[in-house]
Amino acid sequence: MNTLELIKAIARSTPTRIVLLVLDGLGGLPDPETGKTELETAKTPNLDALAASGICGLSDPVGPGITLGSAPGHLALFGYDPVSSDIGRGVLEAVGIDFDLQPKDVAARGNFCTVDDAGLITDRRAGRISTEGCAELCRLLDGLTIENVRVLVHPVREHRFIAVFRGRGLSPGVSDSDPQQIGAAPGIIAASSPADERMAGIANQFVAQARAALAAHRPANMVLLRGFSQQPHLPTMAEIYRLKPAAIASYPMYRGLARLVGMDILETGTSIEDEFRTLTGNYGDYDFFFVHIKGTDSAGEDGDFDRKVRTIEQVDSVLPEMTALQPDVIVVTGDHSTPALLKAHSWHPVPLLLYSRWCRTDRVTEFSESACVQGGLGRLPATEIMPLAMANALKLAKFGA
Amino acid sequence: MNTLELIKAIARSTPTRIVLLVLDGLGGLPDPETGKTELETAKTPNLDALAASGICGLSDPVGPGITLGSAPGHLALFGYDPVSSDIGRGVLEAVGIDFDLQPKDVAARGNFCTVDDAGLITDRRAGRISTEGCAELCRLLDGLTIENVRVLVHPVREHRFIAVFRGRGLSPGVSDSDPQQIGAAPGIIAASSPADERMAGIANQFVAQARAALAAHRPANMVLLRGFSQQPHLPTMAEIYRLKPAAIASYPMYRGLARLVGMDILETGTSIEDEFRTLTGNYGDYDFFFVHIKGTDSAGEDGDFDRKVRTIEQVDSVLPEMTALQPDVIVVTGDHSTPALLKAHSWHPVPLLLYSRWCRTDRVTEFSESACVQGGLGRLPATEIMPLAMANALKLAKFGA
């Protein structure tokens, strides 16, 4: 019995409420001059007060040294094994544009690209055409029907699009057509087992029709497909935790991930204030809220230390709106670290704060990487956060007599 | 190779001795007024001195957030995976009354109950008849023989009893007859596979005979059975650790659990002093002692903060008797937390103290939840405690060259 099966066996529905506040890419690295990370630099009186009454620690998205993308990072926070529950690239892109993916759809990530007269790739991104240009080209391909399978083609950004195959007898076990190198020809899509041959045939026909339709649209005169995938078979959070969960996220990918695990998606605006207002407005209707803050990660990716500091301070300033609701359990953490100094996701463990009446508070009085090292939660994998939150909400029965 | 298999491969018998002192439900939560837990409130000069010369940490019975019962909690302390080694309800009840269960016996937990003229349950507990009344009714049923299977029926407490089926061809794969609700009829016991059909048939005949025998004994005019189970196939501690282990426990369930893993059970009295005297009296005959203190858990379950404090102080006061024996390794911990504030077992990690000449002491100078956060052992699953104790007793050879 793995942890999720164990949790499923002992979870019970109660009136208590949990708020999981995720500051994407929260963890950082110290500025060489001040010796302080982004979180340590930010003035965060409200988070510090919560840390003082709560219990702190550090969480590893999957394990020491491993850097995760946002999708597995969030799955881990929701309690799912982030490695075995890996989501295919096609599904991830579809989910990232709020596409209404059906359970049997097969989705692929597409690139518009440039091929020369010999059919060899000269630019895998077709000169990074504009998103508008991409949308126009997608309209040429969208709705093609091949052997009773409809192909839905939607733009993502610049040269990126998704191709979603909808119909009977489809399966994701096929290879990419994208060789991921210049000077090669796009590959023939191959079935990895006899059961996948129909899928491979349809995908190859789609590529051929796309090439014909795009012939006059150089530099975007060909497509490359990769990451054919179907929705993962994840048990919902309602099934595992007996929760009624809702997601508040201004970025589509996080809404999509939340939808994959069965959360209701609440309409919200683009600012942090909007998100907290949405939480307050819907507080009576759910017992679990996932609130996602994107700005910390974007600033980290851009290498903008100060903007990451300001985003953290902005979250701190609206925090009292959330604490005023008196959730039984509040968790504040990130899905991974994104130190501005690295301009990228990193493997560093993520500050973690849990507040509840029953948390057994520790001696930590500020929310920061260095203070969390001394925290009572110690260092734990991110997948343990949901069991802890559930326990603190008194939503888990005893295992064994 | 899992940890137990690894340990089994490298364990060796030596003259060194280990004492595992378990204060049941040791971990607590702070009194809101003083900010101190039961253990932090108790005056424990001897435990503190041991903590100062030893190394401390916090252990999770199975994992963060998971609350365990005493049976899996103790199995974890003995080094067994507490989830996969889960013990059936029938066996647990039998073990809990010191019943001498044989390897092929199938044990079920029974309730005397009340059924109306239509055979529907009106009270699952027969008005909670007295333990004496229960013993009398058990005598009516004890020793029935059905198809060469003897049914041994022993009272537990109030309306509770055990039915142990002893004979050839028995198996535990059958359903409960207890529907666990009022207004329903007791269920027919069903086999979960063809191999279990003999067992189901005999159990159903037993229920029918019991009903006939009890007809005139309203309110206890029927029985309900659940949790059919056999002794788990656990390797003994002698097999895994090459230890000669003994258990000192005044409560029968803990003796029973110790017996399941092959410990010798030492006769002892009901007080903490009795138990320590038993340790001293038998110290020459074994190399591993499990000493179980029940009072901490009982006080916690009763919500009696002060009594839990006093019980801890009582253990502290007799501790010098044990340290005077100069065991090579002393471990002091609990099987789980039982905070008086929660009046129940909880998920909170348990203070852990290990003393040996080779422990590499840390800076912790008092035995308490908050001090253990800073301990050199960090936070670890309870199943890791036995390997640590064995290593500190120099009873584990090197793995690999």
Side-chain angles (χ1 to χ4, degrees):
Chain A
M1 184 148 55
N2 64 31
T3 306
L4 278 196
E5 284 164 357
L6 175 57
I7 295 289
K8 195 173 167 179
I10 59 178
R12 56 190 182 185
S13 181
T14 74
T16 55
R17 287 190 175 79
I18 300 169
V19 175
L20 170 64
L21 173 61
V22 178
L23 282 75
D24 203 298
L26 175 63
L29 279 174
D31 180 303
E33 289 197 12
T34 66
K36 290 184 171 185
T37 67
E38 299 90 320
L39 179 58
E40 288 162 8
T41 306
K43 290 195 179 57
T44 54
N46 296 308
L47 284 166
D48 293 344
L50 203 59
S53 56
I55 183 167
C56 290
L58 286 170
S59 91
D60 287 291
V62 56
I66 310 298
T67 300
L68 285 189
S70 286
H74 275 80
L75 286 180
L77 286 179
F78 303 151
Y80 300 81
D81 179 71
V83 178
S84 68
S85 330
D86 192 27
I87 297 173
R89 188 77 208 189
V91 168
L92 205 60
E93 294 281 346
V95 145
I97 57 166
D98 265 341
F99 183 89
D100 186 22
L101 207 61
Q102 303 296 305
K104 307 214 159 173
D105 288 351
V106 172
R109 149 77 188 265
N111 270 21
F112 287 107
C113 71
T114 312
V115 292
D116 63 18
D117 293 344
L120 305 180
I121 301 166
T122 57
D123 184 339
R124 283 188 58 250
R125 299 181 182 87
R128 287 193 185 272
I129 52 169
S130 70
T131 303
E132 295 71 36
C134 178
E136 264 176 54
L137 294 170
C138 285
R139 275 193 289 277
L140 290 177
L141 309 179
D142 186 37
L144 286 174
T145 299
I146 303 165
E147 296 182 24
N148 289 320
V149 170
R150 277 196 76 201
V151 189
L152 307 164
V153 180
H154 287 231
V156 176
R157 203 157 55 92
E158 297 175 335
H159 55 282
R160 305 175 188 91
F161 67 88
I162 55 164
V164 177
F165 299 80
R166 182 170 289 170
R168 294 216 178 154
L170 300 181
S171 56
V174 298
S175 65
D176 297 346
S177 80
D178 187 348
Q180 305 225 24
Q181 62 183 57
I182 299 285
I188 301 295
I189 293 162
S192 52
S193 82
D196 300 308
E197 272 168 19
R198 175 169 152 82
M199 180 73 235
I202 290 167
N204 283 317
Q205 288 182 54
F206 169 74
V207 172
Q209 294 192 23
R211 183 169 189 181
L214 296 170
H217 294 272
R218 196 183 164 89
N221 63 352
M222 183 50 168
V223 295
L224 298 172
L225 299 179
R226 60 186 162 112
F228 287 83
S229 43
Q230 280 178 320
Q231 276 189 42
H233 296 287
L234 296 174
T236 66
M237 290 185 80
E239 285 164 357
I240 299 165
Y241 304 111
R242 298 183 203 285
L243 289 170
K244 191 180 175 203
I248 302 170
S250 56
Y251 267 57
M253 192 177 95
Y254 305 93
R255 292 196 292 267
L257 282 167
R259 201 179 283 121
L260 284 180
V261 296
M263 292 193 212
D264 276 6
I265 310 302
L266 303 183
E267 276 205 42
T268 191
T270 55
S271 73
I272 295 172
E273 290 75 12
D274 289 338
E275 294 190 326
F276 276 69
R277 214 167 296 135
T278 303
L279 173 66
T280 306
N282 292 272
Y283 191 69
D285 299 334
Y286 298 89
D287 56 8
F288 178 89
F289 294 89
F290 157 53
V291 183
H292 182 262
I293 308 293
K294 179 66 180 170
T296 32
D297 181 58
S298 315
E301 295 255 21
D302 292 347
D304 192 335
F305 193 99
D306 295 339
R307 198 171 95 230
K308 191 169 165 193
V309 170
R310 285 199 305 275
T311 307
I312 294 168
E313 291 180 341
Q314 211 182 332
V315 172
D316 189 79
S317 72
V318 295
L319 198 73
E321 271 189 60
M322 187 245 275
T323 50
L325 299 168
Q326 300 190 294
D328 298 275
V329 178
I330 299 171
V331 176
V332 186
T333 190
D335 54 340
H336 52 72
S337 293
T338 309
L341 270 77
L342 278 174
K343 296 188 184 183
H345 292 197
S346 79
W347 63 92
H348 301 89
V350 186
L352 168 64
L353 185 173
L354 183 148
Y355 166 81
S356 93
R357 184 177 164 194
W358 311 113
C359 71
R360 192 197 270 170
T361 189
D362 55 20
R363 294 171 184 173
V364 172
T365 56
E366 73 174 47
F367 190 44
S368 72
E369 286 86 348
S370 47
C372 284
V373 168
Q374 311 290 330
L377 290 176
R379 185 164 171 169
L380 72 179
T383 48
E384 307 282 11
I385 295 173
M386 272 303 295
L388 264 178
M390 290 286 292
N392 274 275
L394 305 183
K395 288 181 187 291
L396 294 182
K398 184 168 66 175
F399 175 77
Chain B
M1 185 148 56
N2 65 30
T3 306
L4 279 195
E5 285 165 356
L6 174 58
I7 296 290
K8 194 172 167 180
I10 60 178
R12 56 189 184 187
S13 181
T14 74
T16 55
R17 287 188 175 78
I18 301 169
V19 176
L20 170 64
L21 174 61
V22 178
L23 283 75
D24 203 299
L26 175 62
L29 279 175
D31 180 305
E33 288 197 12
T34 66
K36 290 183 172 186
T37 67
E38 299 90 322
L39 179 58
E40 288 162 7
T41 305
K43 290 196 180 58
T44 54
N46 296 309
L47 284 167
D48 293 345
L50 203 58
S53 56
I55 183 166
C56 290
L58 286 170
S59 92
D60 288 292
V62 55
I66 309 298
T67 300
L68 286 189
S70 287
H74 274 81
L75 286 179
L77 286 179
F78 302 151
Y80 300 82
D81 178 71
V83 176
S84 67
S85 330
D86 192 28
I87 297 173
R89 188 79 209 189
V91 168
L92 205 59
E93 293 282 345
V95 144
I97 58 167
D98 265 341
F99 183 90
D100 187 22
L101 209 59
Q102 303 297 305
K104 304 214 159 172
D105 289 349
V106 173
R109 149 77 187 265
N111 271 20
F112 287 107
C113 71
T114 313
V115 291
D116 63 18
D117 293 343
L120 305 180
I121 301 165
T122 58
D123 184 340
R124 284 187 59 248
R125 299 180 182 85
R128 287 192 184 273
I129 52 169
S130 70
T131 304
E132 296 70 37
C134 178
E136 265 176 54
L137 294 169
C138 285
R139 277 192 288 277
L140 290 178
L141 308 180
D142 186 37
L144 285 174
T145 299
I146 301 164
E147 296 181 24
N148 290 320
V149 170
R150 279 196 76 201
V151 189
L152 307 163
V153 180
H154 286 229
V156 176
R157 202 156 57 91
E158 297 176 335
H159 54 282
R160 305 174 188 91
F161 66 88
I162 55 163
V164 177
F165 298 80
R166 182 171 291 170
R168 293 217 179 154
L170 300 180
S171 57
V174 299
S175 65
D176 298 345
S177 81
D178 186 349
Q180 304 227 25
Q181 62 183 56
I182 301 284
I188 301 295
I189 293 161
S192 51
S193 81
D196 300 308
E197 271 166 22
R198 174 168 152 82
M199 180 73 235
I202 290 168
N204 282 317
Q205 288 181 54
F206 169 73
V207 172
Q209 295 192 22
R211 183 169 189 179
L214 296 170
H217 294 272
R218 198 183 162 91
N221 62 353
M222 184 50 168
V223 295
L224 299 173
L225 299 179
R226 60 187 163 112
F228 287 83
S229 43
Q230 280 179 320
Q231 278 189 40
H233 296 288
L234 297 174
T236 66
M237 289 184 81
E239 286 164 356
I240 300 165
Y241 303 111
R242 302 185 200 283
L243 290 170
K244 191 179 174 203
I248 302 169
S250 56
Y251 268 58
M253 191 176 97
Y254 305 92
R255 292 197 292 267
L257 283 167
R259 201 179 283 119
L260 284 181
V261 296
M263 291 193 213
D264 275 6
I265 311 300
L266 303 183
E267 275 205 44
T268 191
T270 55
S271 73
I272 295 172
E273 290 75 11
D274 289 337
E275 295 190 326
F276 276 70
R277 215 169 295 135
T278 303
L279 174 65
T280 306
N282 292 272
Y283 191 70
D285 300 333
Y286 298 90
D287 57 8
F288 178 90
F289 294 88
F290 156 54
V291 183
H292 182 261
I293 309 293
K294 179 65 181 170
T296 32
D297 180 59
S298 315
E301 294 256 20
D302 292 347
D304 193 334
F305 193 99
D306 295 340
R307 198 171 95 232
K308 191 169 166 192
V309 170
R310 285 198 306 275
T311 308
I312 295 167
E313 290 179 342
Q314 213 181 330
V315 172
D316 189 79
S317 72
V318 296
L319 199 73
E321 272 190 60
M322 187 244 275
T323 49
L325 299 168
Q326 301 190 293
D328 300 275
V329 178
I330 300 171
V331 175
V332 186
T333 190
D335 54 339
H336 51 73
S337 293
T338 308
L341 270 78
L342 279 174
K343 295 188 184 183
H345 291 195
S346 78
W347 63 92
H348 300 90
V350 186
L352 168 65
L353 185 173
L354 184 147
Y355 165 80
S356 92
R357 185 176 163 194
W358 313 113
C359 71
R360 188 197 274 170
T361 189
D362 54 21
R363 295 173 183 173
V364 172
T365 56
E366 73 176 47
F367 190 44
S368 73
E369 286 86 347
S370 47
C372 283
V373 168
Q374 312 292 329
L377 291 176
R379 184 165 173 172
L380 72 179
T383 49
E384 309 280 11
I385 294 173
M386 272 303 294
L388 266 176
M390 290 285 292
N392 275 275
L394 306 183
K395 287 180 188 292
L396 294 183
K398 183 166 66 177
F399 175 78

